[in-house]
Amino acid sequence: MRCLNGAILSFALLLRILVGFQPHSGQDDYQGNNATGIGTDANDGGKPIKYGGDYEAQRHWMEITYHLPISEWYYHDLEYWGLDYPVLTAYVSWVCGWVAHTVGSIHNDAFVVGENEETILNNGVCKWDDSVCIDQLMRTKKNQKAGKINRKSSKGLGVLKDLVALHSSRWGFEESGGKLYMRFTVLLLDLLVYMSAVWVLAGRLTKIDADDEVGTNNTTIDPDSTTSTTNKSSDDSIIPISQRPRLWLLLAALSQPALILIDHGHFQYNTVSLGLALWSFHFMTLTTTTTTTTNHSSKSDCSSFVGPILGSILFSLALNFKQMELYHAPAIFAYLLGRCFRRDRNKEQYGSTVMGTAGKFCVLGLTVILTFATLYAPFAIYTRASTSPISSLLQIVQRLFPFNRGVFEGKVANLWCALSIKPFSIRDRLPSDLLPWAALGLTLILVLPPCWILFGAGKGPDLDKSAPVQSNQNPNNMKDDSDIRLLLWGTTSTSLAFFLASFQVHEK
């Protein structure tokens, strides 16, 4: 079985690597008035030139987070792939940029300068607030593209420093070594976060019954013979029947085409946020239910609430990696609220239900608040000159939720876009300021049924204090994997409701 598990994992990695060999989205795509030039000046009509797609955006975020102070991350040059993802994405970009710059620094970068061109200081890097140097660098970059100036590219690992060089790396840094590093970061994070979560959840969702496993591999020995006989069917000789659901689940989840194409082709890190969410689902649905019976009296220790606490931390991290995790937030809130009401047969705790529920709710709330505060505190402490901490935090919120795009944002295909055509034409019939409220109301209506079911699942069945409990009985009267199954179905339902009816301010 280890060989089969390894084969599935190797196949999933191979798919990702093969997709990574293909061109990324936006490659060789120069956008603006002067699609063949670089920079912004009077000859370009004063309109900024943008290059590429999400690959260039992610590379650019590594560039600015490493070189610029944290106070500038959500302000710097917003027209050129300005940072518009939550703060954990920014921190991860900083780590990737730091690794690239540190490893690449073992090589020196140099320019071969043409006639009437000045050497750019600091190996092609300007200080972020040096406008004169930046303007000169833009002209150098433009002349370089036009063939008037040649740049001596770094070799080997030195290309990683060029990959995240401030300003000079913009507008199409397509060195193969840089691409390899970018692809590697996605693959590594995918393996560490998403694949590991799928591996653990697959084991929980397809538990192997030990007795069945022994039965299918029962071996008897004939006393009159030295040979043994294995009682198993011919079709079960290669892959045990009890193992097949887990293998199929692993293969399907790790070979999911949308994730592979978007993350490893288009270039994104969606598997990080999704993997963190899956890990949070795993921990928040764990329970500890040890039960003993003595002289017709039952006693059980309370359901472990450490799992929901860890799960709330991990989900807060997922939400702060990509705002798309808001799709799952109503389902998570409903389930955790139900867990606050879950009771046990322990007499001491049975009589203090209200206090226990309030305590659990406060602990979860404090956990989420502390997690968010830890992530956002640097942006409130280190602010721009004459900018208040509140203004800095509001700037991040505005970058994450650009409502000015409107509910009919061009890259989104949902219910509102479908209703914008004749004979409905709601775009013309409803005022624009009413649409966000309509989207909110319809989304809430659609998410309420799954949230109510998840609240009940989290709360568990009502317990009868006088009912006897068997020594091997789960006091919550639920299968160990029933919560995780319902949570997966519930989060799927709420995400579909958000996709269809919400005011989508991001193309995701």
Side-chain angles (χ1 to χ4, degrees):
M1 288 309 302
R2 291 182 179 179
C3 293
L4 289 173
N5 290 330
I8 291 176
L9 180 61
S10 300
F11 176 71
L13 290 172
L14 179 61
L15 280 180
R16 288 157 168 78
I17 293 172
L18 291 177
V19 170
F21 276 106
Q22 305 304 311
H24 58 79
S25 65
Q27 186 168 321
D28 300 322
D29 180 19
Y30 290 90
Q31 308 159 25
N33 290 340
N34 184 3
T36 60
I38 304 296
T40 59
D41 55 29
N43 294 330
D44 295 328
K47 184 177 181 180
I49 299 296
K50 186 181 288 188
Y51 171 82
D54 276 352
Y55 174 89
E56 173 64 11
Q58 298 287 345
R59 186 215 59 77
H60 177 60
W61 295 348
M62 295 181 190
E63 166 198 345
I64 63 174
T65 53
Y66 176 74
H67 288 285
L68 303 185
I70 193 172
S71 59
E72 294 293 327
W73 287 5
Y74 285 92
Y75 286 93
H76 181 73
D77 198 2
L78 300 180
E79 292 296 328
Y80 189 86
W81 299 115
L83 184 57
D84 59 358
Y85 275 13
V87 295
L88 187 56
T89 291
Y91 293 141
V92 171
S93 296
W94 180 88
V95 172
C96 294
W98 178 83
V99 172
H101 182 85
T102 302
V103 174
S105 294
I106 63 175
H107 291 267
N108 290 325
D109 191 14
F111 281 92
V112 177
V113 183
E115 185 177 359
N116 298 325
E117 292 287 348
E118 299 180 8
T119 304
I120 300 299
L121 300 178
N122 300 323
N123 294 328
V125 178
C126 300
K127 293 182 179 179
W128 67 271
D129 56 352
D130 189 346
S131 59
V132 175
C133 179
I134 293 174
D135 289 340
Q136 181 181 344
L137 180 60
M138 297 303 100
R139 291 194 299 270
T140 303
K141 185 80 173 180
K142 192 169 185 178
N143 290 334
Q144 176 189 335
K145 180 173 178 61
K148 300 177 182 178
I149 180 173
N150 297 318
R151 182 179 181 180
K152 182 180 179 181
S153 299
S154 299
K155 302 297 182 182
L157 296 176
V159 75
L160 299 184
K161 183 178 180 181
D162 298 341
L163 176 72
V164 296
L166 186 61
H167 301 307
S168 63
S169 59
R170 293 190 189 183
W171 296 290
F173 189 91
E174 298 289 350
E175 295 289 340
S176 58
K179 288 183 180 180
L180 180 61
Y181 174 75
M182 295 282 287
R183 298 293 191 189
F184 175 74
T185 60
V186 178
L187 187 63
L188 180 63
L189 291 172
D190 189 347
L191 177 64
L192 294 178
V193 183
Y194 175 73
M195 291 187 178
S196 61
V198 169
W199 190 275
V200 171
L201 287 181
R204 285 189 62 186
L205 294 171
T206 57
K207 285 185 177 180
I208 301 173
D209 190 322
D211 294 335
D212 292 343
E213 184 69 8
V214 172
T216 57
N217 293 278
N218 184 33
T219 302
T220 59
I221 300 178
D222 187 348
D224 298 329
S225 174
T226 59
T227 61
S228 61
T229 304
T230 302
N231 298 327
K232 59 170 69 177
S233 60
S234 58
D235 63 340
D236 197 28
S237 59
I238 300 177
I239 305 177
I241 295 177
S242 58
Q243 289 278 6
R244 292 177 186 176
R246 182 175 187 271
L247 294 175
W248 280 115
L249 180 58
L250 281 174
L251 183 62
L254 296 181
S255 303
Q256 216 278 348
L259 277 178
I260 294 177
L261 291 175
I262 293 175
D263 276 25
H264 300 271
H266 176 73
F267 203 89
Q268 279 282 338
Y269 293 90
N270 291 294
T271 49
V272 178
S273 61
L274 185 57
L276 288 171
L278 291 177
W279 274 115
S280 73
F281 300 168
H282 167 68
F283 281 105
M284 67 179 59
T285 55
L286 291 179
T287 58
T288 302
T289 53
T290 303
T291 305
T292 57
T293 302
T294 304
N295 297 329
H296 304 287
S297 64
S298 64
K299 180 179 181 180
S300 66
D301 52 356
C302 63
S303 298
S304 173
F305 206 67
V306 176
I309 294 174
L310 292 176
S312 64
I313 294 174
L314 289 169
F315 187 75
S316 296
L317 294 178
L319 185 58
N320 281 286
F321 192 89
K322 283 212 169 181
Q323 57 268 58
M324 185 173 61
E325 283 303 318
L326 281 171
Y327 281 16
H328 300 145
I332 298 302
F333 176 80
Y335 175 77
L336 289 179
L337 183 62
R339 284 298 298 268
C340 293
F341 285 88
R342 182 173 291 192
R343 298 182 295 179
D344 298 276
R345 293 181 182 272
N346 190 316
K347 295 181 179 180
E348 291 79 10
Q349 295 193 1
Y350 193 83
S352 59
T353 302
V354 175
M355 294 299 297
T357 297
K360 292 177 181 179
F361 184 82
C362 291
V363 168
L364 285 180
L366 184 61
T367 300
V368 173
I369 292 173
L370 289 177
T371 304
F372 272 74
T374 302
L375 292 173
Y376 284 87
F379 295 92
I381 296 173
Y382 304 100
T383 62
R384 303 176 97 191
S386 69
T387 301
S388 66
I390 297 298
S391 298
S392 297
L393 296 178
L394 288 177
Q395 172 68 8
I396 299 176
V397 174
Q398 291 173 1
R399 293 298 300 163
L400 300 185
F401 303 102
F403 285 99
N404 58 302
R405 294 184 181 183
V407 72
F408 300 101
E409 204 272 331
K411 299 178 182 178
V412 175
N414 61 1
L415 181 63
W416 302 108
C417 292
L419 294 177
S420 65
I421 61 176
K422 294 181 178 181
F424 305 102
S425 303
I426 63 171
R427 183 182 300 197
D428 301 325
R429 299 176 186 272
L430 295 179
S432 58
D433 57 348
L434 181 62
L435 287 174
W437 297 104
L440 176 63
L442 183 57
T443 303
L444 289 177
I445 292 175
L446 293 178
V447 302
L448 278 177
C451 286
W452 179 255
I453 294 174
L454 285 174
F455 173 77
K459 183 179 178 182
D462 293 331
L463 300 178
D464 185 0
K465 181 179 176 181
S466 61
V469 182
Q470 301 298 327
S471 60
N472 60 347
Q473 180 181 351
N474 185 331
N476 291 320
N477 195 28
M478 297 180 69
K479 293 183 179 179
D480 291 339
D481 63 350
S482 60
D483 278 21
I484 185 63
R485 290 180 182 275
L486 284 174
L487 190 58
L488 289 172
W489 281 110
T491 51
T492 300
S493 300
T494 57
S495 63
L496 289 174
F498 268 82
F499 176 76
L500 288 175
S502 66
F503 193 110
Q504 298 182 19
V505 294
H506 248 273
E507 57 270 22
K508 307 302 180 297

